[in-house]
Amino acid sequence: MNGNDNVRLIKRLEKPVGKVDVVLDTDTYNEIDDQFALAYLIRSDEKLNLKAIYAAPFHNDKSDGPADGMEKSYQEIMNVLTLMGREDLKEIVFHGAAEYLPSETEPVFSDAAKDLAERAMEYTEEHPLYVVAIAAITNVASALLINPEIKNRIVLVWLGGHALHWPDNKEFNLCQDVAGARIVFGCGVPLVQLPCMGVVSAFTVSGPELEYHLRGKNRLCDYLADVTTAEAKRCGAGDVWTRAIWDVTAVAWLLDGDFEKDCLIHSPIPEYDDRYSFDQTRHFIKYVYHIQRDRLFEDLFKKLTK
């Protein structure tokens, strides 16, 4: 990438001014933070115009494999939309990949990947489509392989990987599909990284906060309080507990409100041995290094309860 290309890339990584079009890529059934993020994005319609929602694969103790995780996420997206009374948005929900990338050159075809590969072509470098990704990056990386031209028409905001100072890079979203991660960190797409441990791991909510701010406000808020409390208990919480709802921070990067601090860094290289390697000749990405926790929670609770 030459100097002029880097200047153009840096300009595209500036925070958007005015209302922008967004798609969300989410493994909604995996934890409880995706539900918060999906609802927050929908309720931030003063700034964000939601064009599509993609169900992403995941595999842990809540699924039998990536395909099952994707299908459960698809159904949970529908559940959240029902709770919000947004039946109109169900027609823009797409099934994603049923497996992870087999290599760094082979896409996984899905309705989600095909939609992004086509939809992004309606945008330009000056007026891009913003892709908020809060899951394994399979759908987005596949779209980039299917149609490499879209890297000049999108800005990717991804919650994935750990902080650069963290002793390892064993982060769930990244480790599920390292090939996909290497594609998005290496292809030159404008990328905003929100690292998990060491940065957005500070964005946690407690049981008393949920009860005070959300309980009894509406069906969605009661559901979020219930599933968060249940997840905490499932994970062995004691009398005092907090749960990370860090996926919210990826949505917040696009909003007006000074919720986060970021900087430019040379794009790190996710390796297959759970670490980063570094090359100071690589292109720049935006790296979020601090979350204004209380300020962001104030906006989140206000929008969820309205």
Side-chain angles (χ1 to χ4, degrees):
M1 182 174 290
N2 61 40
N4 288 335
D5 288 338
N6 244 330
V7 170
R8 290 167 58 195
L9 179 59
I10 291 170
K11 182 174 179 59
R12 294 169 65 195
L13 286 168
E14 295 175 356
K15 287 218 177 188
V17 176
K19 195 166 186 176
V20 295
D21 288 353
V22 180
V23 297
L24 178 69
D25 188 66
T26 167
D27 56 351
T28 326
Y29 195 79
N30 168 38
E31 292 182 299
I32 46 82
D33 50 341
D34 293 76
Q35 291 92 327
F36 281 87
L38 172 58
Y40 187 45
L41 196 161
I42 293 171
R43 291 281 172 83
S44 297
D45 55 359
E46 80 288 347
K47 176 76 174 183
L48 307 179
N49 183 24
L50 181 59
K51 305 297 288 185
I53 307 169
Y54 305 139
F58 76 90
H59 184 202
N60 58 16
D61 62 350
K62 287 188 171 183
S63 74
D64 295 332
D68 181 52
M70 184 276 295
E71 180 59 36
K72 286 178 175 175
S73 292
Y74 181 91
Q75 296 302 328
E76 181 65 357
I77 292 167
M78 295 299 190
N79 179 43
V80 172
L81 295 179
T82 296
L83 289 167
M84 298 184 71
R86 295 303 306 267
E87 301 293 325
D88 58 306
L89 295 178
K90 290 185 176 181
E91 65 183 20
I92 62 168
V93 182
F94 296 86
H95 285 90
E99 60 182 338
Y100 305 124
L101 289 180
S103 75
E104 295 178 33
T105 59
E106 302 170 86
V108 178
F109 288 91
S110 68
D111 291 343
K114 293 175 183 176
D115 180 80
L116 179 56
E118 295 173 1
R119 185 182 301 276
M121 294 304 292
E122 301 172 8
Y123 297 83
T124 65
E125 185 172 322
E126 294 76 22
H127 299 285
L129 174 66
Y130 287 84
V131 180
V132 176
I134 50 178
I137 203 66
T138 310
N139 292 333
V140 179
S142 294
L144 285 161
L145 289 175
I146 293 169
N147 185 3
E149 170 61 23
I150 69 171
K151 79 173 186 179
N152 298 315
R153 299 168 184 264
I154 67 173
V155 174
L156 173 59
V157 183
W158 185 36
L159 187 138
H162 288 326
L164 300 183
H165 67 273
W166 205 252
D168 62 63
N169 201 23
K170 297 178 182 179
E171 189 278 317
F172 186 67
N173 288 349
L174 191 151
C175 284
Q176 290 184 99
D177 196 339
V178 179
R182 287 170 64 86
I183 289 169
V184 299
F185 276 95
C187 71
V189 65
L191 172 63
V192 180
Q193 183 192 10
L194 292 105
C196 293
M197 296 306 296
V199 180
V200 299
S201 53
F203 195 69
T204 63
V205 67
S206 68
E209 287 176 307
L210 290 172
E211 293 299 319
Y212 181 82
H213 291 287
L214 297 187
R215 180 68 67 192
K217 301 300 190 297
N218 55 49
R219 290 176 64 201
L220 170 70
C221 288
D222 283 344
Y223 178 73
L224 293 175
D226 287 342
V227 296
T228 306
T229 301
E231 181 72 4
K233 291 178 178 178
R234 189 182 77 89
C235 296
D239 292 336
V240 178
W241 58 266
T242 62
R243 292 297 299 172
I245 55 171
W246 43 26
D247 284 347
V248 171
T249 64
V251 176
W253 189 84
L254 289 171
L255 301 178
D256 303 324
D258 190 26
F259 299 126
E260 300 165 2
K261 302 296 182 184
D262 58 42
C263 63
L264 289 168
I265 64 168
H266 293 281
S267 182
I269 305 167
E271 300 289 4
Y272 287 97
D273 60 357
D274 301 322
R275 66 181 181 88
Y276 292 113
S277 61
F278 302 94
D279 180 350
Q280 297 304 307
T281 67
R282 280 166 65 91
H283 61 280
F284 286 102
I285 67 168
K286 269 283 177 73
Y287 177 84
V288 174
Y289 61 86
H290 178 68
I291 307 297
Q292 307 275 31
R293 190 261 185 196
D294 295 347
R295 186 176 298 168
L296 178 50
F297 262 115
E298 181 179 359
D299 191 59
L300 175 66
F301 289 145
K302 178 181 178 181
K303 288 176 177 174
L304 293 181
T305 57
K306 73 178 182 180

